[in-house]
Amino acid sequence: MEESMNFNTLDDVVPRRVNPQAAALAAWHGLFWLVFANAVGALIAVLLLYPALNKQLGEWTYGRWIMVHMNLELYGWTSIPMAGFLFKVYGADREPVSKWSRPVLWLWSAALGVGVLSWLSGHTSGKLFLDWSGYARVLFPAAMLMLWAFLVFALAKNRSNAENTTIAWAAKLAGLLVLLVVPFLIYIAADPAIYPAVNPDTGGPTGASQLESSLAIVAILLMLPFGLTRRKSGSSRIVAINWALLVVESLLCAKMGRADISHHLPSQYLSLGSLLVWLPLTPAYYAAFEWHAATRRWRLAFYWWWAALLVTGWVFFLPGVLDHFKFTDGLVGHSFVAMAGFTSSLIIFVMVQLLGEGGWIFNRARSFYLWNGSVIAYIALMTVAGRREGFDPTFTIVPGIFRNILYVLRLGSGILMLLASLDWLVDASTLLREPAPVSVPVSLEKTA
């Protein structure tokens, strides 16, 4: 049972002059790169259907466009909207500081543009999602450092706000220290001479490394509500249980080390299976917080995609299953569960909460069902293709009727995703043209 409550998050304590255009601009930049990356994805799908077209593209062939597609999905669509989240946490969405959010976001997008030209020119580190090389490897971390400096400036300007209690101030400073490390880690990790632990039976990540990265995502999920809204009264127990479990699993992960270990070892797949406990805990945790009524649709989508990611991620890692699906279209489908499903729904949920009433741009039924339906179709198609490819490696290499049908349908689902993202970008452009109100009233919903 649900009842609506209308009040301003923290505004009932201290009146704030919030400029929602900062969040709207972050949404627009993220959506611009989503549309661009999806268009490149459609081009890639065409090239897989008609490889001869690569000859018409000169040096800009499939191998270069795939880097553009993957990196723009991660560093464009996934990352830039989270800058909007950081704007809110550090008060960078408030006047007069918020006006500086525009050049910071444009610098980030410019760094991505340089990255695109670098990858299309054949410059890469050769490392998946860490393809930064040469001048692009310097410029992108520099853009991240500019964002960090902006957050420091915003926090300093808002140091007198009543909401910045001693605990909140300490937490935000700790967050800044963590964020400061990230640009340097990306620069270092892009070094071709540095490699993580490898599963000797697949050439991919070990169970321990996958558990480590998954727990980092869990930590982000647990931290997000504190930067977006406030906790309901009487919810301390469920919040404490979630954080305590994260600590326990992190200690387990640290004990496993970073050796090159096969997924056939029970310790690897059983420890990864411990993530399944977050299936019920994550929705229960988020129910302990107040949320804008407009977030409901994408919150539910985020829950379902999170469940799908946890279950398929563990099943695909099991001995026998991973041996069959490794480096096939089946794992491409699983990556869509992670990025197009879970990550995208989470990002949109966060953006709707930040935009308040402006979150209507993501809540049209047409684009919501078009996006999620086409993602589900894509995953199903790639799972079927991956299963056939596991038994016959030539299936996706040598054109055949069944293979071509699957690839045509994949192209169709990719075009539908492109149309949904274009719909959001057009609406976001409309939102930017609307005059920004002085403050943003936030309508929250309370779940009994």
Side-chain angles (χ1 to χ4, degrees):
M1 180 173 62
E2 298 180 348
E3 62 180 269
S4 294
M5 300 179 62
N6 293 310
F7 52 85
N8 294 342
T9 307
L10 298 174
D11 285 1
D12 51 344
V13 179
V14 178
R16 300 189 303 166
R17 293 177 60 86
V18 176
N19 185 354
Q21 295 292 77
L25 191 62
W28 187 89
H29 277 263
L31 287 169
F32 171 82
W33 290 114
L34 176 64
V35 170
F36 192 104
N38 286 347
V40 172
L43 171 63
I44 290 170
V46 171
L47 293 176
L48 287 173
L49 264 173
Y50 305 103
L53 290 178
N54 280 280
K55 296 179 181 178
Q56 310 302 319
L57 299 178
E59 295 181 345
W60 290 13
T61 54
Y62 172 89
R64 297 189 181 182
W65 282 113
I66 191 67
M67 288 187 292
V68 172
H69 172 67
M70 292 191 300
N71 284 295
L72 290 184
E73 294 286 3
L74 177 61
Y75 296 109
W77 165 233
T78 302
S79 301
I80 296 181
M82 292 308 294
F85 165 75
L86 293 174
F87 290 165
K88 181 180 187 302
V89 171
Y90 289 94
D93 60 345
R94 301 172 186 172
E95 300 290 2
V97 179
S98 62
K99 64 183 179 182
W100 295 103
S101 62
R102 185 177 297 272
V104 168
L105 290 171
W106 277 109
L107 180 60
W108 187 296
S109 282
L112 287 179
V114 171
V116 170
L117 293 176
S118 174
W119 299 318
L120 289 177
S121 299
H123 302 295
T124 176
S125 67
K127 302 177 73 171
L128 191 64
F129 290 114
L130 288 169
D131 296 285
W132 302 102
S133 176
Y135 46 84
R137 184 185 174 197
V138 176
L139 183 58
F140 183 67
M144 299 182 76
L145 286 173
M146 183 60 71
L147 170 62
W148 181 84
F150 176 53
L151 297 177
V152 172
F153 173 69
L155 182 60
K157 294 289 287 185
N158 291 287
R159 62 184 179 276
S160 59
N161 283 343
E163 65 193 70
N164 281 329
T165 63
T166 302
I167 295 177
W169 184 265
K172 291 177 181 181
L173 287 177
L176 285 173
L177 290 176
V178 173
L179 291 172
L180 178 60
V181 175
V182 175
F184 298 99
L185 286 180
I186 288 179
Y187 180 85
I188 295 171
D191 187 342
I194 299 176
Y195 282 93
V198 176
N199 181 341
D201 286 341
T202 65
T206 64
S209 60
Q210 290 202 58
L211 178 61
E212 182 179 356
S213 59
S214 298
L215 289 177
I217 295 174
V218 171
I220 291 173
L221 291 179
L222 296 187
M223 288 187 291
L224 275 176
F226 291 99
L228 291 170
T229 184
R230 61 185 181 186
R231 189 165 49 85
K232 295 177 182 176
S233 60
S235 59
S236 300
R237 177 177 295 180
I238 186 64
V239 172
I241 289 174
N242 277 263
W243 281 99
L245 184 60
L246 175 62
V247 171
V248 171
E249 285 201 283
S250 298
L251 293 174
L252 168 67
C253 183
K255 187 175 179 61
M256 293 178 66
R258 298 191 175 188
D260 297 342
I261 300 177
S262 169
H263 65 291
H264 288 273
L265 252 66
S267 62
Q268 295 293 299
Y269 59 80
L270 290 178
S271 61
L272 193 61
S274 68
L275 291 169
L276 296 176
V277 72
W278 297 103
L279 283 169
L281 284 179
T282 302
Y285 181 82
Y286 272 68
F289 294 85
E290 307 281 1
W291 298 109
H292 192 288
T295 65
R296 178 176 173 78
R297 171 174 284 173
W298 284 103
R299 238 183 322 132
L300 292 176
F302 142 53
Y303 295 156
W304 282 108
W305 282 115
W306 176 235
L309 179 61
L310 290 175
V311 173
T312 58
W314 184 62
V315 171
F316 269 43
F317 190 76
L318 292 174
V321 180
L322 182 58
D323 303 86
H324 181 78
F325 276 99
K326 64 179 181 179
F327 304 125
T328 68
D329 279 332
L331 289 187
V332 173
H334 177 66
S335 70
F336 262 68
V337 176
M339 293 296 292
F342 164 68
T343 303
S344 292
S345 59
L346 176 64
I347 290 296
I348 294 175
F349 156 61
V350 170
M351 291 310 303
V352 172
Q353 177 69 17
L354 290 173
L355 292 171
E357 299 305 322
W360 65 267
I361 66 174
F362 293 108
N363 274 332
R364 293 182 187 271
R366 174 185 62 195
S367 55
F368 174 84
Y369 291 110
L370 184 62
W371 177 267
N372 286 286
S374 54
V375 171
I376 291 172
Y378 189 101
I379 293 167
L381 291 168
M382 291 301 93
T383 302
V384 172
R387 187 175 185 280
R388 286 291 301 270
E389 188 180 0
F391 290 109
D392 179 13
T394 65
F395 174 73
T396 55
I397 301 175
V398 180
I401 295 178
F402 186 46
R403 176 262 196 192
N404 287 345
I405 290 175
L406 289 177
Y407 275 32
V408 167
L409 292 174
R410 173 166 78 169
L411 172 59
S413 63
I415 291 174
L416 292 178
M417 281 184 267
L418 172 60
L419 292 176
S421 60
L422 188 59
D423 204 11
W424 293 329
L425 179 61
V426 171
D427 286 340
S429 299
T430 302
L431 190 64
L432 280 177
R433 289 194 295 269
E434 295 176 354
V438 172
S439 62
V440 184
V442 182
S443 173
L444 302 175
E445 68 173 8
K446 180 180 180 181
T447 303

